[in-house]
Amino acid sequence: MSSSSQAPESWISAFCSLVGHEYFAEVSEDFIEDDFNLTGLQSQVPMYKEALEMILDVEPEDASDEEEDEEEEEEDDEDEDEDGMQQDGGAGGEAGRGGYRRGGDAAERRHLRMASDLSVIESSAEMLYGLIHQRFITSRPGIQQMAEKYEAGHFGHCPRVHCHGAKVLPVGLSDIPGQETVKMFCPSCLDVYSPPNSRFQTVDGAFFGTTFGCLFFMTFPELDVGGQKAAPTSQAEAANTSPSSNAVNNGNKDGRSSLSSSLTSQQHQQLPSPSTADNTPLPSQPESINGVAPKNLAPGLGKGSLYEARIYGFRVSEVAKTGPRMKWLRSRPGDVNELDECGIWEAGRR
């Protein structure tokens, strides 16, 4: 089969295959053709009709323009008949030449308009598709498509050490185009990051919206968001040392520790937590808290997940400008029942 006989690539597929558009899902044409899904977008996107036709690969309606020109010519003829047809043959010839000249000017203006407006239509089509995409990924087929990309790791992983490579999700900080670029949300530490690759830092965050991130994890509560933690070896536990400390003592003969070894050594430190400092046994934990399984409730926070900054092995002062003064942002209670506000309020009424 020759390549000429193959179906041409659609505008949607071509848009999603562009460099930097790997986060986008392919919106189905059935979703776009439903007018209910496009409610309110006509007032936000310039040249809305032309942009929608470009997305759906619909040819422009040139026939309507020709019909309008014919109606204008018929109206001009009727006006001349009402005047009594008092013009002589020469004047009539001049009027006829003027009519042809007007028709040619209209076609030329239409051609110039299409050439000059093509770039505007393309940018409008990108904005329109992005706003439609924001709504599509909150629908059942759209969120399922994004779940497949999330499971495959297409969106990347959290750069934080204690998240152990947890998968991230693209989200927006605003629903209005032009305000924020797309960010990456980590369900393990509940933080947002800028994409590491600069090609994603020009994607508008409104094309993903502020609703998608929360709705995604509410739709799929069974997902394991904690990342892959490396199992410690029995020898390391017995010696109470980390592989990085061995590398510092054995590998670096000059006695200088590297930054990577300092980061790795912090993973094995267990910091005290107020909720479990007295080593009292925790009460029975619920199977679900606010619709989320306890194991998926910010597993990258809390005890053992607070990084302690060090410089050449020395702690940074708590009151230093670069010290860990915002450590409370990484806190998480050991007893998740403390987060059940509805249960606490109901118990207080009794």
Side-chain angles (χ1 to χ4, degrees), residues 64-134:
S64 60
D65 295 338
E66 295 177 0
E67 292 176 359
E68 292 178 1
D69 294 339
E70 292 177 359
E71 291 177 358
E72 292 177 359
E73 291 177 2
E74 291 177 359
E75 290 177 359
D76 293 338
D77 295 337
E78 291 176 359
D79 293 337
E80 291 177 358
D81 293 337
E82 291 176 359
D83 292 337
M85 299 296 291
Q86 296 180 356
Q87 297 177 348
D88 57 4
E94 186 68 23
R97 288 193 298 271
Y100 287 116
R101 187 164 55 251
R102 285 197 300 271
D105 293 343
E108 184 178 358
R109 286 196 303 270
R110 183 165 58 250
H111 176 74
L112 294 176
R113 183 191 63 187
M114 291 178 61
S116 60
D117 293 344
L118 184 60
S119 60
V120 179
I121 296 175
E122 289 179 351
S123 60
S124 298
E126 294 180 1
M127 177 182 292
L128 178 59
Y129 182 82
L131 296 177
I132 296 174
H133 181 270
Q134 176 195 132

Side-chain angles (χ1 to χ4, degrees), residues 1 32 156 277 343:
M1 180 181 295
I32 301 177

